[in-house]
Amino acid sequence: MQSLIYKVFTRKYSLSLQADALELLSTVIAQNELSTVDATKWLELLADTWTKREAGPLVEAGPLKDLVAAVSAGTSSVSSRGADSASDVFTVISAFDVPPLWYDPSTKAFTHPFSKAEILSSAEAKASLFRQRYDLIKQRVLRNENFTPVMFSDHNRFRTLSTIDSLQGREGERFLLLGMLAQLEEGKLFLEDRAGSIELDVTNVGKRAHGLFTESSFVLVDGCVEDGVLRVDEIGLPPPESRDVTRNAFPNVNLFGGSPSLRTEVQLREIEVATDNGMVILSDVWLDQPSTMRALRVLFDGFSHSAPPIAFIFIGDFSSRPFVAGSGDTTQYRDNMTALGQLISEFPDISRSSHFVFVPGANDPWGSGALPKPRIAEYFTKRLESRLSHVTFTTNPCRIKYCAHEIVVFREDLLKRIRRNCVLEPEEGTDVAKHLVRTIIDQGH
């Protein structure tokens, strides 16, 4: 059984077992006479729970013994809790609570450079931000199958990334580089990486992948160096990576945020199937318009005759006109929120069981155009919050974790903002919306 324990803990979950911990697991499996299949399920539950508790990569006998006491063969003790436990089934994570993890290329691991994110930071933080984005995207690119040669395979099938400083004195050679687009001089486009920068000539780009290219976006560029300028033949966005691949690369890191659930992913999916009532997402909920309130009443009335949704996610703006501080808008805005709370409380099943999440828009109080936008002030929401059992006023953007799903909510006209700042025009006749989706996925980090 020790080989099975090693396979689950070390190879699958990247955990190191001390000798006495290995002996403890072997003894428990022998005493309970578990089959190989049952033992595998039990070991995976133990390893998964250990990882979610962020107890570290070294498994010691003492903490492991406590965990074994809390976990029976195949079923964690936490699974006895009801499926409506909000703490590990439905969680809202504000932008300020996202874990401040930075990737360290020297150790190939994530670190915590600071304890909590802040809106106002030093000038050095901007440069650090772009260096960190470069390191994050580069490590993802290097895991891609096109950049990872396999032993005894045809190495000509794989591409090698070069750095800008390695281009010096190598005129006429072809290179593939990863870097950030920037305009260091008016009207000229440059590519930057950690090693330096080089001017780009994109007048004769032959092949351009889907995506929208703006300043500060990271791209893969293929071309030749002539007279100190990189003549670009092909340009594209970094290849994306699935969630499962990233989790396998960093199995002990909570990248999304929120308290990790002690349930296994299988248990969370079972809860989701058993309570699959869906979510209702509404945007531009103008509470100052009578037609909006009438439509919401119809909506709530319809759900009151069936199983209430898991959550109602209201996304601003919550007023048809921009909020002006110091005017009559203050009282009117608070009264509109109070009226919404009174409306929801007329439907007891919904107000008691559903979660209500409110994400502010650009014209909601307070704050300017800076992101992330803080939650709506308690002065406006206190009366509404007193009427609902599960309500969260959060930031824009924010994250929501529901069972095994990880959702990002962001209220912004991204297409308009990105399209306005493009440095390379998208190809004519293509769907710009698809370019936007491709950009968000490929620039993700």
Side-chain angles (χ1 to χ4, degrees):
M1 280 296 177
Q2 290 192 355
S3 60
L4 177 62
I5 297 171
Y6 171 79
K7 179 180 177 181
V8 172
F9 271 77
T10 303
R11 296 184 62 184
K12 185 172 183 178
Y13 287 89
S14 301
L15 298 173
S16 299
L17 283 162
Q18 288 189 339
D20 50 357
L22 180 63
E23 184 63 29
L24 172 64
L25 294 176
S26 301
T27 301
V28 173
I29 293 174
Q31 289 176 347
N32 289 276
E33 299 180 351
L34 298 179
S35 65
T36 302
V37 174
D38 291 338
T40 301
K41 293 181 179 179
W42 182 70
L43 290 169
E44 287 183 349
L45 179 57
L46 279 175
D48 186 67
T49 306
W50 181 279
T51 300
K52 289 178 176 179
R53 288 183 175 181
E54 298 183 346
L58 181 62
V59 181
E60 300 176 342
L64 180 62
K65 187 175 182 180
D66 296 335
L67 181 61
V68 169
V71 178
S72 59
T75 306
S76 171
S77 63
V78 298
S79 65
S80 62
R81 297 183 303 190
D84 58 347
S85 173
S87 60
D88 64 345
V89 173
F90 188 91
T91 306
V92 180
I93 306 161
S94 78
F96 301 108
D97 294 327
V98 172
L101 296 171
W102 284 37
Y103 182 76
D104 185 349
S106 61
T107 61
K108 296 184 179 180
F110 282 92
T111 61
H112 294 77
F114 43 86
S115 58
K116 190 173 180 64
E118 298 178 355
I119 291 182
L120 301 177
S121 56
S122 64
E124 171 62 21
K126 182 177 181 180
S128 299
L129 164 69
F130 292 122
R131 286 195 295 266
Q132 178 58 201
R133 286 185 61 197
Y134 175 81
D135 291 338
L136 275 171
I137 292 178
K138 184 176 181 180
Q139 58 88 25
R140 188 187 78 195
V141 169
L142 293 178
R143 273 199 304 274
N144 185 271
E145 58 183 4
N146 295 314
F147 296 88
T148 309
V150 181
M151 191 176 297
F152 307 119
S153 66
D154 182 6
H155 284 249
N156 293 326
R157 293 174 48 235
F158 302 96
R159 305 299 304 274
T160 302
L161 287 179
S162 301
T163 55
I164 292 176
D165 61 344
S166 67
L167 274 56
Q168 297 180 5
R170 301 174 68 178
E171 298 277 328
E173 295 185 40
R174 179 173 295 276
F175 297 94
L176 177 65
L177 300 102
L178 171 69
M180 184 181 75
L181 294 178
Q183 292 195 53
L184 303 182
E185 298 180 20
E186 184 68 29
K188 294 183 179 181
L189 193 61
F190 288 78
L191 187 74
E192 286 188 289
D193 65 9
R194 273 185 170 270
S197 62
I198 187 171
E199 184 181 345
L200 300 180
D201 178 6
V202 295
T203 55
N204 297 313
V205 174
K207 184 177 180 181
R208 186 187 311 170
H210 269 67
L212 300 173
F213 300 87
T214 67
E215 284 190 72
S216 301
S217 63
F218 284 81
V219 295
L220 287 169
V221 175
D222 186 276
C224 297
V225 180
E226 296 179 10
D227 301 324
V229 177
L230 184 64
R231 313 291 179 185
V232 180
D233 295 323
E234 297 182 24
I235 186 170
L237 299 175
E241 184 175 79
S242 69
R243 174 174 176 265
D244 290 338
V245 172
T246 303
R247 290 186 63 181
N248 289 334
F250 304 101
N252 300 319
V253 182
N254 179 12
L255 296 171
F256 194 75
S259 300
S261 173
L262 296 184
R263 307 176 198 255
T264 65
E265 191 158 318
V266 173
Q267 291 171 333
L268 290 172
R269 294 193 183 279
E270 290 175 352
I271 294 173
E272 181 187 345
V273 171
T275 60
D276 187 16
N277 301 330
M279 297 184 189
V280 178
I281 303 177
L282 307 171
S283 181
D284 289 317
V285 186
W286 294 347
L287 300 178
D288 59 335
Q289 298 293 318
S291 58
T292 300
M293 301 302 288
R294 289 195 297 270
L296 288 175
R297 180 177 292 278
V298 173
L299 177 70
F300 294 138
D301 183 65
F303 281 112
S304 66
H305 296 95
S306 61
I310 295 297
F312 289 89
I313 301 175
F314 292 92
I315 305 174
D317 300 332
F318 293 108
S319 178
S320 59
R321 62 173 188 260
F323 177 85
V324 179
S327 66
D329 292 348
T330 301
T331 301
Q332 183 63 47
Y333 194 95
R334 183 182 61 178
D335 291 344
N336 292 339
M337 284 289 179
T338 302
L340 176 60
Q342 291 173 342
L343 174 61
I344 298 173
S345 64
E346 294 178 17
F347 304 92
D349 290 344
I350 295 176
S351 63
R352 284 196 301 263
S353 58
S354 295
H355 297 263
F356 291 85
V357 181
F358 292 83
V359 180
N363 293 323
D364 291 312
W366 308 92
S368 57
L371 293 172
K373 186 178 180 67
R375 58 154 285 172
I376 299 173
E378 188 178 352
Y379 171 81
F380 301 100
T381 66
K382 190 173 183 179
R383 295 175 183 174
L384 184 151
E385 293 180 78
S386 66
R387 292 177 175 271
L388 305 178
S389 300
H390 310 288
V391 59
T392 303
F393 283 84
T394 187
T395 59
N396 178 31
C398 68
R399 297 178 178 183
I400 296 176
K401 184 184 293 184
Y402 170 60
C403 290
H405 294 284
E406 295 176 346
I407 306 165
V408 176
V409 180
F410 186 22
R411 178 64 173 92
E412 181 63 52
D413 190 347
L414 285 176
L415 181 57
K416 180 180 179 181
R417 177 173 291 201
I418 294 178
R419 186 68 181 84
R420 185 172 60 240
N421 292 283
C422 279
V423 294
L424 292 176
E425 294 295 324
E427 296 179 358
E428 295 184 3
T430 57
D431 188 347
V432 180
K434 291 184 178 179
H435 282 284
L436 175 65
V437 173
R438 183 83 268 165
T439 302
I440 294 173
I441 293 174
D442 292 356
Q443 292 290 320
H445 56 277

